Amino acid sequence: MLDLAFVRDHLPLVEEKLRQRGMDPQALLKDFHAIDVERRAAITEVETLKARRNKAADEIAKLKKDKQDATALINETKELREKIAIAESHAEAGDTRLRDILVGLPNLPDDSVPVGKSEHDNVEVRRWGTAPNFDFTPKPHWELGEELGVLDLERAAKLSGARFAVYWDLGARLERALMNFMLDLHTREHGYTEVLPPFMVNADSMYGTGQLPKFESDLFKVPHGEKNLYLIPTAEVPVTNLYRDETLDAARLPISLTAYTPCFRSEAGSYGKDVRGIIRQHQFQKVELVKFAKPEQSWQEHEKLTHDAEEVLQKLGLHYRVMCLCTADMSAASAKTYDLEVWLPGQKLYREISSCSNFLDYQARRANIRHRPEGGKKTELVHTLNGSGLAIGRTWVAIVENYQQADGSVLIPEILRPYVGAERITARNL
């Protein structure tokens, strides 16, 4: 959420940044200025009336002490109480209306973010490695998975419906191996602390990271007593909210956490997209990277987090590119995002496998996550960052497609072989 005072003092800038996102400032800001003026006037009126009431109370006390008639002033204080109540209700109504507007505003893109209208305006930052050359026509993962007997979409549909998957044997072991490999890399070499959070969270947690109220249609929720619990769409939600309503010691920052979780998304609005294979699933597994940083640290930590995610692909020998998302393609909460896109030869395209974002204080303001600067008394909001490190299912896809062999088998990347316990995936019967 944006700061009220910032929006008030920089309204033209906010409007321009919203236009850069391809949004209509009037539709989002509504009557922000008029409401803010009315609210501030109501607050001033409350303060003025309270000052007059306090003065009248002192005058009443003096009159009573001198045994003089204070009836007129007593009647006036009664009228003042009524006027104060009315003015306070106007101020509170203004607070509510402004908060509703602020909750609906996205983060403002950083000045370094390319301005664009769609994903076609994203800018390539760098590439790593080279795409493999095949002396045969490479197959997509859904064909390879079925032929090898390690990916079963038909039985998954029987169990749960479309956009679910069952992994068998070495397919399942490869998924588990990737989880362990990623967590080991991030904790042993990159300095992250592992955490295993709940996979269901309350509405406050969803609000804290920005999924609610805007994206409720894309969430799975479960009735629980008088309220709902939500299946997490990403570990970003529970891990970021670990420190909701807390003030962190500045000496601890930056804090770097990593977590493995399943993720659940209804994929509302994605009908007809990526219907084949396991690219877009209702349930998928992911290792997440989350950081809490001082404001002056966050851009450096953003670059570091991105490189930490990249190293997973590098150690797996997977060709990829880094894209800086344009203003129109970023998530609502992000100030700047790098997408890592891995090459998939079976589909002849690059596919996003990680989004690494700096949210500045946007989430921290919603979740009330603060820190106390060293030697300072006044607390400040932290900056939050996160990225996939990586999406396990899509990494599984990348390995199967990039390491396929002419005989239909799939080589296991050397670094994963101790985790999988095999060098190659060969055909088995389902």
Side-chain angles (χ1 to χ4, degrees):
M1 190 165 65
L2 300 179
D3 178 52
L4 171 61
F6 179 89
V7 176
R8 175 195 300 134
D9 296 340
H10 303 86
L11 199 55
L13 172 64
V14 173
E15 291 173 345
E16 175 57 26
K17 290 292 186 178
L18 292 175
R19 281 190 286 269
Q20 290 179 4
R21 277 185 171 270
M23 298 175 174
D24 179 4
Q26 182 59 43
L28 291 172
L29 290 165
K30 303 173 186 176
D31 298 322
F32 176 89
H33 179 68
I35 296 169
D36 187 42
V37 169
E38 292 174 6
R39 169 184 167 274
R40 295 172 78 184
I43 291 173
T44 300
E45 184 180 2
V46 169
E47 293 171 347
T48 302
L49 291 170
K50 284 184 176 180
R52 174 56 189 152
R53 181 194 63 189
N54 294 339
K55 183 179 180 182
D58 292 340
E59 293 173 353
I60 290 170
K62 184 177 180 181
L63 287 171
K64 287 184 176 181
K65 182 178 180 181
D66 295 340
K67 300 186 182 304
Q68 297 184 37
D69 185 15
T71 303
L73 280 174
I74 291 173
N75 290 334
E76 182 184 349
T77 58
K78 291 179 180 178
E79 293 176 2
L80 287 170
R81 281 198 299 270
E82 293 174 357
K83 290 180 179 179
I84 289 171
I86 293 172
E88 285 180 334
S89 68
H90 288 163
E92 290 172 1
D95 282 337
T96 299
R97 294 172 68 189
L98 287 178
R99 187 170 183 82
D100 288 343
I101 291 173
L102 291 174
V103 165
L105 294 178
N107 206 347
L108 304 184
D110 185 70
D111 289 342
S112 64
V113 173
V115 177
K117 296 181 179 180
S118 73
E119 63 183 17
H120 301 294
D121 297 315
N122 296 340
V123 175
E124 183 173 324
V125 178
R126 57 182 172 270
R127 293 190 180 200
W128 185 90
T130 56
N133 290 318
F134 297 94
D135 55 8
F136 59 93
T137 302
K139 297 178 180 179
H141 69 277
W142 56 85
E143 291 183 15
L144 286 163
E146 181 179 0
E147 292 171 2
L148 291 169
V150 296
L151 180 64
D152 193 343
L153 301 179
E154 184 176 344
R155 286 190 174 94
K158 179 174 67 174
L159 296 176
S160 307
R163 298 190 188 272
F164 289 92
V166 170
Y167 298 89
W168 289 93
D169 195 38
L170 288 180
R173 285 160 63 183
L174 177 58
E175 180 93 359
R176 176 161 53 91
L178 284 167
M179 173 192 72
N180 287 325
F181 162 66
M182 292 176 190
L183 290 173
D184 286 348
L185 176 64
H186 296 313
T187 56
R188 296 174 182 175
E189 298 186 25
H190 297 158
Y192 290 78
T193 298
E194 184 177 351
V195 58
L196 181 62
F199 302 158
M200 293 192 291
V201 297
N202 55 31
D204 288 342
S205 297
M206 286 293 188
Y207 175 86
T209 43
Q211 279 75 23
L212 287 179
K214 187 173 182 180
F215 301 106
E216 183 156 8
S217 64
D218 202 31
L219 302 172
F220 287 108
K221 58 185 176 182
V222 179
H224 182 68
E226 297 180 355
K227 298 182 178 181
N228 292 318
L229 288 178
Y230 294 83
L231 296 175
I232 60 169
T234 166
E236 167 198 348
V237 178
V239 176
T240 302
N241 279 277
L242 285 171
Y243 295 120
R244 189 175 75 242
D245 296 324
E246 293 188 27
T247 298
L248 304 172
D249 182 354
R252 295 180 59 196
L253 301 176
I255 295 172
S256 300
L257 304 178
T258 185
Y260 159 81
T261 66
C263 305
F264 305 90
R265 299 180 186 179
S266 72
E267 295 294 349
S270 66
Y271 180 79
K273 296 180 181 178
D274 302 314
V275 294
R276 304 195 71 179
I278 57 172
I279 289 296
R280 197 177 297 273
Q281 297 280 282
H282 290 314
Q283 175 188 322
F284 59 97
Q285 288 63 245
K286 186 149 64 81
V287 168
E288 194 77 358
L289 307 175
V290 176
K291 286 179 176 283
F292 304 84
K294 300 174 188 176
E296 62 270 23
Q297 297 172 327
S298 68
W299 288 117
Q300 179 181 350
E301 291 302 317
H302 186 214
E303 297 297 327
K304 184 178 184 304
L305 184 149
T306 303
H307 284 289
D308 291 341
E310 287 183 67
E311 191 171 351
V312 179
L313 292 169
Q314 292 172 10
K315 287 184 176 295
L316 294 173
L318 295 171
H319 170 54
Y320 68 91
R321 65 184 184 184
V322 180
M323 306 293 290
C324 184
L325 299 193
C326 74
T327 51
D329 199 32
M330 294 193 305
S331 72
S334 177
K336 185 175 184 177
T337 297
Y338 293 121
D339 267 10
L340 310 187
E341 296 183 346
V342 68
W343 173 249
L344 301 180
Q347 300 169 60
K348 297 180 175 60
L349 49 73
Y350 288 96
R351 179 70 71 173
E352 179 249 313
I353 198 167
S354 174
S355 285
C356 301
S357 300
N358 188 351
F359 304 108
L360 302 181
D361 60 10
Y362 184 89
Q363 292 181 329
R365 181 170 288 105
R366 297 173 72 104
N368 189 29
I369 308 172
R370 313 184 73 86
H371 76 287
R372 192 179 305 279
E374 297 176 47
K377 294 183 178 180
K378 187 177 180 181
T379 63
E380 299 176 3
L381 294 168
V382 303
H383 283 191
T384 62
L385 308 91
N386 85 272
S388 301
L390 302 165
I392 296 176
R394 293 191 178 193
T395 310
W396 190 100
V397 167
I399 288 172
V400 169
E401 292 199 10
N402 279 276
Y403 282 91
Q404 60 182 295
Q405 304 297 302
D407 63 1
S409 66
V410 172
L411 287 178
I412 303 295
E414 187 171 349
I415 199 167
L416 287 180
R417 291 174 187 175
Y419 291 94
V420 178
E423 296 183 1
R424 184 187 299 265
I425 300 174
T426 55
R428 65 174 296 278
N429 294 321
L430 286 179

